[in-house]
Amino acid sequence: VYANVTEEVHNLTFFDQLDVFLSTEPYNGLYKNDIVRDENNYVTASRAYVQFDQINAYDQEQQIDALNSETEIAGSLPVNSGKDAEDWHLFSLGDIYYAWELYGV
């Protein structure tokens, strides 16, 4: 959606679009510290906040199901294809996962 704002941005490379995006408020303040790039401008790491707002804090079965679903989805991503979970390129991680894993034992 952002790249379609103007033809000028749309025709830029991904990395140049990212530069424009990260120099524009409010995106700069929201995301500049969440994208790590190397000396060649390649994205080497990034993070995004994910809120599990439909998970009942008192329903352990629902929490276990959420963790299992997240793991299944991450494992099915093409970027993670053929890799063991500890070698995945794209995954989510949260402190709450430790509790959810404990419930599943």
Side-chain angles (χ1 to χ4, degrees), residues 28-39:
N28 181 339
L30 292 171
Y31 301 112
K32 72 177 180 180
N33 294 324
D34 296 321
I35 299 173
V36 179
R37 294 159 51 169
D38 67 12
E39 62 279 353

Side-chain angles (χ1 to χ4, degrees), residues 44-78:
T44 59
S46 65
R47 64 179 170 203
Y49 178 75
V50 178
Q51 182 175 352
F52 288 92
D53 60 350
Q54 300 296 314
I55 306 300
N56 185 324
Y58 301 102
D59 186 339
Q60 289 151 346
E61 288 298 321
Q62 192 178 55
Q63 294 168 13
I64 294 166
D65 289 345
L67 179 61
N68 291 337
S69 293
E70 188 286 326
T71 302
E72 182 179 329
I73 291 167
S76 71
L77 296 171

Side-chain angles (χ1 to χ4, degrees), residues 71 74-75 79-80 82-93 101:
T71 302
V79 71
N80 293 332
K83 295 179 177 54
D84 293 330
E86 52 274 350
D87 295 323
W88 286 351
H89 294 289
L90 186 60
F91 58 91
S92 68
L93 181 64
E101 285 180 327

